[in-house]
Amino acid sequence: MAENKQSSLNLSGINAAIIMDGNGRWAKRNAINVTSGHEKGVDVVRKIVESAAKAHLESLSLYAFSTENWSRPKKEILGIKKLIISAIDSQVPELINQKVRLNFFGDYSSFGNDVVDAIEQAESVTASQESRLKLNIALGYGGRADIIEAAKLISTDVKLGKLPVEDISNETFFKHLKAPINELDLLIRTGGDHRISNFLLYHLAYTEIQFTDTLWPDFTEEEFIKCLEAFSNTERRFGKRTL
Ligand code: IPE
Ligand code: IPE
Ligand code: MG
C-alpha cells in the first residue's frame, strides 16, 4: 500500500530535512550498545533515502552529527567514525545506481583524514551524474557556526570593497552559508523532543516542522510518507492573507 501511495507523491522542488534522533534510547531499550543503535540508524537512512527519491524530493538533508555532539564519549565518537566509513563504502554504489548526489556539510575534519578522504571520494563519484535526489549529510554541523562563518565571509568582502554594505541580502547569506540548500520546506524530528538542537537555523524561517515520538531506528518508510502527505496537505501562507 505504501508503494502505491508513494508513486502518487510528487514533491519536486521541495527541500526536506530530518533530525534523526533517538538512536541512544533505542539502544538502551533493546539492551545493546549505543554504537549498535547508530548502526541500526544507518539502515533506516538507506530506506528513507530510497523513499525520498521515489517521492521526487529535490533534496534531503540529514542531521547526522552536531557541533555539540563532539562532547560525547570518545568511544561513541570512534564508533560513529567507523560507521561513517563503512556506510560510505557499502552505500555509494547503491547511491550511484539510484542517481543520488551526495554532499556532506559541516566541519568534520576532527573525524580524521580517513573520513575526510572517504567523503571527498564519495562526493566526487556521485557528483557528475544527473541527480534524482540531492542527499546532504550534516556532519559536525551547527546552525550558529554556519551563520557566524557566513557573517565573517561577508564582512571580509565588505572590507575588501567587493560588496557594498547595502547590497547584503538574503541571497548573500544563502551564498555564504555552508548548508547546500536555500529555502527549507519541511523538517521532521524523530525521538520525541520538540527542539531544533542547532540545526539549519537560518533556513528554518518558513519551514513546516513535524515532530514524531518514533525513535529514529524505528522510523519507517510508511511513516515518512505520512509526513510527506501531511506536508503536501498544509496551506503555506508565508505571512500573506489568503482568506
Ligand atoms: C541521534 O541519536 C544521533 C546522533 C546525535 C549522533 P542520539 O544518539 O542522540 O539518540 P538519543 O537522543 O540519545 O536517544
Ligand atoms: C540532534 O540530536 C543532533 C542529531 C540528531 C545529529 P541530539 O541528541 O544531539 O540533540 P539534543 O541533545 O537532544 O538537543
Ligand atoms: Mg539525541
Side-chain angles (χ1 to χ4, degrees):
M1 203 170 92
E3 271 300 306
N4 290 341
K5 272 193 172 178
Q6 176 128 32
S7 55
S8 63
L9 265 173
N10 188 343
L11 296 173
S12 56
I14 297 299
N15 297 304
I18 307 179
I19 299 175
M20 309 180 292
D21 198 25
N23 296 349
R25 277 162 287 167
W26 189 89
K28 197 168 177 195
R29 212 171 269 179
N30 289 279
I32 55 170
N33 64 57
V34 71
T35 303
S36 305
H38 292 314
E39 215 172 286
K40 183 71 173 61
V42 172
D43 288 345
V44 176
V45 168
R46 191 164 31 81
K47 284 185 239 152
I48 298 305
V49 167
E50 204 181 317
S51 225
K54 283 188 199 154
H56 308 282
L57 280 174
E58 172 76 20
S59 73
L60 180 67
S61 299
L62 300 177
Y63 204 10
F65 196 86
S66 72
T67 45
E68 289 72 27
N69 291 150
W70 288 116
S71 63
R72 292 199 177 189
K74 276 207 174 87
K75 199 174 163 195
E76 181 177 355
I77 295 178
L78 190 65
I80 290 173
K81 172 184 166 143
K82 287 183 181 158
L83 211 51
I84 296 166
I85 294 179
S86 70
I88 287 178
D89 248 23
S90 62
Q91 295 312 306
V92 162
E94 205 172 314
L95 295 179
I96 293 174
N97 248 338
Q98 295 176 6
K99 292 193 168 50
V100 174
R101 188 179 299 174
L102 194 55
N103 189 359
F104 286 77
F105 65 106
D107 183 1
Y108 44 79
S109 55
S110 300
F111 276 115
N113 287 340
D114 40 357
V115 168
V116 174
D117 291 348
I119 286 175
E120 280 175 6
Q121 172 80 5
E123 287 179 338
S124 82
V125 295
T126 59
S128 57
Q129 58 188 347
E130 195 172 313
S131 75
R132 233 171 110 217
L133 172 75
K134 295 180 185 81
L135 176 61
N136 308 317
I137 312 281
L139 198 59
Y141 180 83
R144 285 186 172 171
D146 201 2
I147 294 169
I148 291 167
E149 282 310 307
K152 285 182 188 167
L153 293 169
I154 295 167
S155 312
T156 306
D157 280 354
V158 170
K159 205 162 102 187
L160 294 173
K162 290 188 193 165
L163 179 68
V165 171
E166 54 279 11
D167 285 1
I168 298 173
S169 65
N170 195 29
E171 276 61 42
T172 319
F173 270 86
F174 282 148
K175 201 173 123 197
H176 289 92
L177 288 160
K178 276 188 193 154
I181 50 162
N182 290 347
E183 304 300 336
L184 179 63
D185 301 294
L186 168 66
L187 175 70
I188 299 165
R189 181 177 183 135
T190 64
D193 287 311
H194 296 194
R195 56 178 172 255
I196 301 303
S197 300
N198 201 13
F199 199 22
L200 297 158
L201 300 181
Y202 189 86
H203 309 77
L204 280 160
Y206 268 101
T207 304
E208 301 298 326
I209 306 182
Q210 297 183 18
F211 299 100
T212 166
D213 288 340
T214 307
L215 302 176
W216 177 250
D218 287 330
F219 195 65
T220 59
E221 287 173 273
E222 205 164 27
E223 188 170 358
F224 183 53
I225 293 162
K226 278 192 185 140
C227 292
L228 297 180
E229 283 174 344
F231 166 81
S232 57
N233 291 327
T234 303
E235 186 195 22
R236 303 181 75 194
R237 293 185 286 277
F238 300 99
K240 293 183 185 118
R241 161 80 51 227
T242 55
L243 290 177

